[in-house]
Amino acid sequence: MLRLKHATGPAWLAKVLPALDELLLEQAHLEKKAASGALTFMFRYVEHEALQAPLSELAREELEHFEQSLAVLRARGIPFRRQRPGPYAERLLAIQRVAEPGRMLDQMLCAAVIEARSCERMKLLADGLSGQGEDELAAFYRRLVVSEARHHGLYVRLAKTCFEPAEVERRLDEILDHEADVLSRATALPRLHN
Ligand SMILES: [Fe+2]
Ligand SMILES: [Fe+2]
């Protein structure tokens, strides 16, 4: 259903599990960024009324995830602070066209792909954490996995209300190829998005 073209291998889990504090901090930042992304769409594309209510709901849900992530940090004594992001998002978004309406479609599909990748990796993380006796944290990630899969579907569905479905499918395929290429150039930084 997620249609990702690069399956995350065990090396990624081995890289991030020992850096759990950093990963949890990243999680909080990612949730806030996801909320901000949804709000940006709402402001930038006011003329697309069909986007407004679903993206408002999405932004609210992402902010709830942000607050839940902050609570996890607090419970583990990890201070919320600035963090160097992984290179993934910037490299992925480099494929976006500058001129409208291509820009809008690309932004929606990049958001969809980011949700899908988060979903895939959080599932791996949840399984890895269960094996380490971190059952509560694993359950937290499993709840997020369900949401991320739904968010992926939402962005693709909304794109198809604004653009020709065949065009959406064709461009999504190109962006998925690009995303697989981005991940083949991952750095050593322990991040969900790297
Ligand atoms: Fe989220
Ligand atoms: Fe999400």
Side-chain angles (χ1 to χ4, degrees), residues 40-64:
T40 299
F41 274 115
M42 293 167 66
F43 280 100
R44 193 172 286 160
Y45 302 110
V46 173
E47 68 275 17
H48 290 277
E49 194 192 336
L51 300 183
Q52 299 294 314
L55 289 179
S56 171
E57 194 183 325
L58 175 61
R60 235 178 320 128
E61 192 182 356
E62 300 292 19
L63 281 178
E64 273 171 28

Side-chain angles (χ1 to χ4, degrees), residues 1-7 109 112-113 115-117 119-120 149 152-153 156-157 160 165-180:
M1 169 240 168
L2 300 172
R3 297 163 51 184
L4 296 167
K5 295 193 181 189
H6 168 107
L109 294 181
V113 170
E115 296 283 356
R117 182 60 67 188
C119 177
E120 184 227 23
H152 163 76
V156 174
R157 213 164 44 250
K160 287 180 176 173
E167 184 192 357
V168 172
E169 287 296 323
R170 186 188 52 73
R171 187 57 176 159
L172 179 57
D173 205 56
E174 287 173 359
I175 292 176
L176 286 167
D177 280 336
H178 170 66
E179 198 251 1

Side-chain angles (χ1 to χ4, degrees), residues 27 30-32 34-35 58 61-66 69 115 118 122 144 147-148 151:
Q27 188 64 40
L30 292 178
E31 299 293 358
K32 189 163 61 157
L58 175 61
E61 192 182 356
E62 300 292 19
L63 281 178
E64 273 171 28
H65 292 170
F66 172 62
S69 302
E115 296 283 356
S118 300
M122 285 180 198
L144 293 180
S147 300
E148 304 313 337
H151 299 165

